[in-house]
Amino acid sequence: MRFPGTSRTSLVLLSLHACVSRVAAFSTGSSFLSRHALRNRMSAPTVSATTGAASVSDDAFKGAFGDLVQLAKEKNCGPILVRLSWHDAGTYSKEAKDGGSTGTIRHDPEKSHGANAGLDIAMRLVDPIKQKYPDMSFADFFVLAGIAGVRAMGGPLVGFRGGRVDGQEAECTPDGRLPAATLKGDGLRGIFYRMGLDDKAIVVLSGAHSVGRCHKDRSGFEGPWCEKPLVFDNCYYKNLLGKEWKFDGNQYWADPDPAEGGAEEKLMMLPSDMALIEDAEFLPMVKTYASDNARFFEAFADCFQNLHERRWVDSNAELRAVQLEG
């Protein structure tokens, strides 16, 4: 399940771009399924609209969440789990009423889109856990993976409501729906407004770049945004405002802060990241979240849940709230 290389305009955001965490360096080893077996299982018919939500208990959702948190901690794969859920959800079109968190990212052609390069790693990692919960839709499961990734890295507990129904291969969305790394303010607005999201969501969801890194061979960009790419906090906003960024014609570079510990390599920002401090509407929000981690956490929990639910709320689907912890 090899993904093709991506161009410089490959997509962003947490790993929203075709950027993945250091988990890409891990070998899947013999403990994981063969690529052929995974392909068959991921593409197999899944739960129906009439049996999906009702057949999955709260305990099953909580169990899957707990297993995914443990996986993220053991394999340091939180960033790529966040990216998996983001890329599945970020295809939504409010006008066309398609895309969104439907699990279609597991099907071709969507899983072979340039922006999704490397996400076969994430799907191999989570597949053994998915097998434990056969009645759970991939749509719900991938959402849980993203929520678990954030939580495992010290981020907020994002709200979860289950009941999504899986989309099938014919429902895959066209390539090009996720935000490109080269977009500036109005270009980002075009992508996010299509999903029914707003300027706040652009700034807040970009904050997930506090974790993970870009890989040159997948996205055309290289490096981490923050000194500690496995810690979810507001360092992304602090770095945007507090460092002297130099453009090399492709991406922006700055020196890490030795006092922060963690990465000693140079830090990076994408053109789409720099748009947040160049745009007069975005900049005040960047300053707010740079100075107040608690406000960032609260805003991120709201926006990430909204991203995952846009398709289903707009279609008046019945989703069931589940308390994942406690």
Side-chain angles (χ1 to χ4, degrees):
M1 193 186 301
R2 175 78 177 175
F3 285 85
T6 57
S7 70
R8 289 187 174 181
T9 56
S10 60
L11 310 173
V12 311
L13 282 170
L14 320 157
S15 320
L16 309 163
H17 351 281
C19 304
V20 299
S21 71
R22 296 180 187 273
V23 68
F26 283 76
S27 168
T28 55
S30 60
S31 63
F32 291 105
L33 302 166
S34 71
R35 292 174 183 239
H36 177 71
L38 174 66
R39 183 184 188 93
N40 290 342
R41 193 149 33 228
M42 286 290 185
S43 301
T46 54
V47 295
S48 70
T50 57
T51 62
S55 64
V56 182
S57 68
D58 285 10
D59 285 344
F61 283 127
K62 291 176 67 174
F65 171 74
D67 291 345
L68 288 161
V69 169
Q70 183 177 359
L71 173 72
K73 291 179 177 179
E74 290 178 352
K75 298 294 185 181
N76 290 334
C77 63
I80 203 172
L81 298 187
V82 176
R83 179 172 167 243
L84 174 64
S85 71
W86 214 109
H87 281 212
D88 193 40
T91 59
Y92 177 58
S93 170
K94 187 178 180 70
E95 182 176 350
K97 294 181 171 50
D98 62 7
S101 293
T102 61
T104 53
I105 198 169
R106 74 196 192 281
H107 291 304
D108 273 325
E110 193 170 326
K111 68 181 177 183
S112 296
H113 288 169
N116 294 330
L119 287 179
D120 58 330
I121 297 169
M123 287 186 272
R124 287 198 302 273
L125 284 168
V126 301
D127 186 64
I129 298 175
K130 178 64 179 74
Q131 290 180 62
K132 293 174 59 178
Y133 306 95
D135 292 331
M136 190 179 301
S137 68
F138 282 95
D140 278 338
F141 183 72
F142 290 158
V143 171
L144 283 175
I147 295 172
V150 170
R151 194 60 166 165
M153 295 183 289
L157 178 62
V158 177
F160 173 75
R161 297 196 295 168
R164 296 165 185 81
V165 178
D166 281 329
Q168 299 305 316
E169 188 170 353
E171 299 172 69
C172 287
T173 55
D175 202 356
R177 285 202 176 177
L178 294 167
T182 55
L183 292 178
K184 293 297 186 175
D186 287 344
L188 291 171
R189 288 185 175 94
I191 297 292
F192 280 76
Y193 289 8
R194 187 205 68 225
M195 293 187 280
L197 302 177
D198 57 15
D199 283 6
K200 179 180 178 180
I202 295 172
V203 176
V204 170
L205 293 174
S206 295
H209 283 164
S210 65
V211 298
R213 61 179 296 127
C214 284
H215 294 267
K216 190 75 172 182
D217 61 337
R218 294 191 176 97
S219 67
F221 303 94
E222 180 67 32
W225 291 267
C226 290
E227 287 85 350
K228 297 179 180 179
L230 292 173
V231 176
F232 192 99
D233 61 15
N234 64 342
C235 74
Y236 170 74
Y237 304 109
K238 291 180 178 180
N239 284 353
L240 272 172
L241 296 172
K243 295 188 181 298
E244 182 178 347
W245 295 99
K246 297 179 180 179
F247 187 57
D248 68 0
N250 182 50
Q251 64 186 62
Y252 294 82
W253 297 99
D255 293 325
D257 184 353
E260 292 293 326
E264 296 180 359
E265 63 185 307
K266 283 187 176 294
L267 305 179
M268 59 82 67
M269 290 285 170
L270 302 168
S272 56
D273 296 314
M274 299 304 291
L276 302 190
I277 58 174
E278 296 167 350
D279 188 283
E281 299 299 321
F282 296 156
L283 181 58
M285 289 183 279
V286 172
K287 292 179 177 179
T288 294
Y289 300 131
S291 64
D292 193 332
N293 191 60
R295 288 189 67 177
F296 167 54
F297 273 24
E298 180 181 4
F300 186 85
D302 288 342
C303 289
F304 203 43
Q305 181 174 2
N306 190 29
L307 171 71
H308 290 141
E309 293 185 358
R310 281 265 46 86
R311 161 71 182 266
W312 303 100
V313 170
D314 289 349
S315 61
N316 297 315
E318 292 186 9
L319 299 179
R320 187 179 82 246
V322 179
Q323 185 176 344
L324 296 175
E325 292 183 355

